[in-house]
Structure formats: C-alpha cells, structure tokens
Amino acid sequence: MPATSHAGGEIRTPRERARAQTIADIIGLGRRHLAERGAAALSLRAVARDLGVVSSAVYRYVGSRDELLTLLLVDAYNDLGDAVDAAVKAVPAEEFRGRFAALARAVRGWALREPARYGLLFGSPVPGYQAPAERTTAPGTRVVISLVQILDAAHRAARLAGRGPSAVPAPLAADLEAIRRELGVEVPDALLARGTLVWASLFGAVSFEVFGQYGAGTFSAPDELFEHHIAVLADLAGL
C-alpha cells in the first residue's frame, strides 16, 4: 500500500494514521477519566468500554495502565509547555520581566483550566507508578528551561541584577555547574540558585491555589494575590 504524507512532512501509511488516531482517542478518554475519577482509578478496561471496543483491542495500542499514565503525563507536560512557550513568545525578547510574568500567568492559567492534569503532574504520586525518566524528563522540564533561558538572556544583556550572597556552598556549586553545562547557559551560581527558588515558589503558589491549600475564603482576590507573587518573584530573580 503506498505511503502518504501529512502536514509535518512525515510519511505515514493509512494503518499508521489509524493507529495514531486510536491512541489519540485513548488519551482523550484518559483525560476525561482522570478528571472524573482521579489518576489512581484509571482503568484501561473502562477506557475500552467508553471507546466501544473489547479491552484486548485497547491493549494492542496501550499495554498497561502505567503506559496510559505515561502517555497522559507526556501529553499534559507538552500541553503546559506549549501554553508557556506561546505566552513567552508573545512578549518582546528584551522584556525579560514581562516574559517571566507571561510564563507565570500561563502556568497558573493552564493549571486552573486543567486541575486534574496539573494534579497528575504536580500532585500526590500515583501509588505503584514510576514515571519513566527517558520519556518524561524532556517534556517535564520545558517550563523550567524556559525560565532559565529568560534569566540567562537577561544576564547576557547585563540586565539581571545580583542581590544577596554571591557565594554558594561547593556541593551546590557543582550541581549548578552541571545545570549550566547541560542547558548551555551562563547564569552565575548565586543567580541560578535564586532562580531555582523562584521556580519552586511559582509552582508552590499555583499548587496552593489549585489544591485549595490557602483555605476557603482566605483570599477574595486571587488574581491580585498572584500578580503580587509575580512582582515579588521577579524582584527575587533580579529581573
């Protein structure tokens, strides 16, 4: 049977396209079940039932519940990464503080729209499941890499302010040097360490809001609270 091309230029046969569509349908149903039942209750049999096929047919495409969880993780990480990339690219490259603010708002916006998927990524681990690093690390680090790239661009433009201690302990310095080499950035130790705190604080603030950890009624103006967080974290980063 002759191969055909598609929009990305890749050659696919009708059978390959059908398989890709079936996997996409399984992921779509997995998203729905995740929102309705939670990650721990995901079941390929339930997905097969909603897909209208016998469970053995689904196992030809997704071999286990853990494989489904991995597909959902990668799907969610990339969806979040795409949202962040689009938001950051909409701000001029030299507006480093604005780019950071866009990144932070994109993370929060996605998390509030997709609380179940955010919970899968950043909530409690699913009992008995270990995410395969070789498949999840690259999509799972897209946001933090985008953040580090903003800091690095500001540093290269001499627009990243150095505040606070300039030295870090030797074991931490070794870790930071490994990160610099891996990402190809120049941000010095103290500023890179501070960027790590900004990253952790950003996701901590988003998690508190998504998971209701502030307490009902504690803050009547969550948008304004988050904008204040952005300003404080941008200052902390030296942007």
Side-chain angles (χ1 to χ4, degrees):
M1 185 174 294
T4 56
S5 63
H6 65 109
E10 181 183 346
I11 303 300
R12 281 186 177 174
T13 65
R15 178 176 293 181
E16 289 172 334
R17 291 200 304 273
R19 179 179 179 83
Q21 183 57 57
T22 300
I23 293 174
D25 292 342
I26 291 170
I27 292 173
L29 284 170
R31 285 184 186 176
R32 196 182 83 193
H33 289 197
L34 181 68
E36 294 173 350
R37 309 171 192 184
L42 280 176
S43 162
L44 278 178
R45 289 183 180 275
V47 168
R49 185 172 58 248
D50 286 359
L51 196 59
V53 300
V54 296
S55 57
S56 59
V58 170
Y59 283 102
R60 291 202 298 268
Y61 300 94
V62 179
S64 65
R65 182 211 66 157
D66 284 5
E67 172 66 11
L68 177 59
L69 280 168
T70 298
L71 290 173
L72 290 172
L73 275 172
V74 172
D75 175 66
Y77 275 134
N78 280 326
D79 200 25
L80 171 59
D82 289 346
V84 167
D85 286 350
V88 170
K89 288 175 182 176
V91 179
E94 69 279 5
E95 294 184 15
F96 306 113
R97 190 179 179 99
R99 284 197 150 202
F100 168 70
L103 179 150
R105 292 178 190 126
V107 170
R108 177 180 181 246
W110 187 89
L112 293 177
R113 291 192 304 273
E114 302 281 358
R117 297 168 79 197
Y118 182 86
L120 177 65
L121 301 183
F122 303 107
S124 300
V126 179
Y129 172 73
Q130 181 66 46
E134 68 276 8
R135 295 177 61 186
T136 58
T137 297
T141 54
R142 286 180 59 182
V143 174
V144 68
I145 288 174
S146 181
L147 171 59
V148 172
Q149 287 173 340
I150 292 170
L151 299 180
D152 187 58
H155 170 68
R156 291 172 189 260
R159 296 261 305 276
L160 194 60
R163 303 187 182 94
S166 58
V168 300
L172 175 58
D175 291 338
L176 296 173
E177 174 58 25
I179 291 171
R180 267 194 300 273
R181 286 198 306 269
E182 181 180 355
L183 300 184
V185 298
E186 298 179 357
V187 186
D189 285 351
L191 296 177
L192 189 55
R194 201 174 309 141
T196 304
L197 177 57
V198 169
W199 171 40
S201 300
L202 168 61
F203 278 90
V206 171
S207 293
F208 260 57
E209 185 172 3
V210 172
F211 301 140
Q213 292 171 327
Y214 285 124
T218 301
F219 293 105
S220 61
D223 294 346
E224 288 78 1
L225 176 66
F226 192 74
E227 288 300 312
H228 183 267
H229 289 333
I230 290 175
V232 170
L233 292 176
D235 286 344
L236 177 62
L239 294 169

